[in-house]
Amino acid sequence: MECIFCNINDRKSEAEIIFEDEHILAFLDIQPVNYGHTLVIPKKHYDNFLTVPKDELDKITHATQFIAGVVKRSLNADGFNIISNNGQSAGQSVFHFHFHIIPRFKNDFSLRPAVKNYTSGAMHEYGNKIRSILSKYKDIYNG
Ligand code: AMP
Ligand code: ZN
């Protein structure tokens, strides 16, 4: 299947690449929230966060931390968002896993979603829902 990020990695499509190593590639987002908005991708194709093997994820996370620091410092940003959209409903538009690094400046924050409030007992219900599945998957977490 055609993937724009694989094409960028294979140099079949152009991008403003800022860093790469054996495992990851970082380049500027073509439609930045702020200038310098950077994407970090694994060189291998994985659809989303849940399908990236742990050792690869460790490398991507490590690189993202490093690059976020560099982006912040180089642009004199006040802060940054690290975002990963997973699934169409979450806003994912390129189905090759990536972290967004978005440099932020004083008073430019407009990403805050509308928040909900739990009705009485509902928070505990949601806790139970998540914990009941969690107990089935614990072995995966423990390796
Ligand atoms: P997401 O919507 O979280 O999947 O993020 C995909 C991001 O990739 C969007 O912010 C796009 O602007 C960006 N994007 C799409 N095509 C390109 C491209 N050819 N070069 C750089 N960034 C791109
Ligand atoms: Zn890909």
Side-chain angles (χ1 to χ4, degrees):
M1 198 185 72
E2 190 77 357
C3 169
I4 180 64
F5 288 178
C6 283
N7 285 346
I8 288 173
N9 183 48
D10 296 339
R11 306 304 197 266
K12 289 180 190 157
S13 297
E14 277 188 27
E16 190 64 36
I17 292 170
I18 59 166
F19 182 77
E20 72 180 312
D21 68 12
E22 205 186 327
H23 304 282
I24 69 97
L25 183 71
F27 53 92
L28 296 186
D29 193 305
I30 204 166
Q31 287 192 307
V33 173
N34 272 330
Y35 298 124
H37 178 162
T38 299
L39 302 174
V40 183
I41 69 163
K43 289 195 162 181
K44 281 193 203 153
H45 182 102
Y46 304 104
D47 287 356
N48 62 54
F49 187 67
L50 293 179
T51 57
V52 183
K54 186 185 174 307
D55 56 337
E56 289 271 319
L57 192 58
D58 286 348
K59 284 166 184 140
I60 302 163
T61 308
H62 176 65
T64 301
Q65 184 188 46
F66 170 68
I67 296 160
V70 171
V71 167
K72 180 176 185 289
R73 190 167 294 192
S74 58
L75 302 178
N76 212 10
D78 299 303
F80 55 89
N81 298 108
I82 303 289
I83 295 177
S84 167
N85 299 320
N86 290 274
Q88 211 165 22
S89 62
Q92 186 174 10
S93 60
V94 176
F95 292 83
H96 179 134
F97 174 71
H98 52 282
F99 279 125
H100 293 254
I101 302 170
I102 305 173
R104 307 307 306 224
F105 301 89
K106 275 191 184 74
N107 303 323
D108 84 339
F109 187 76
S110 55
L111 275 181
R112 197 184 297 274
V115 296
K116 295 179 166 57
N117 290 302
Y118 285 108
T119 53
S120 166
M123 196 177 205
H124 191 55
E125 250 173 57
Y126 274 88
N128 282 341
K129 229 180 225 186
I130 295 167
R131 278 187 294 269
S132 71
I133 296 294
L134 196 148
S135 58
K136 290 184 193 155
Y137 285 84
K138 233 181 191 158
D139 289 348
I140 296 175
Y141 179 69
N142 292 329

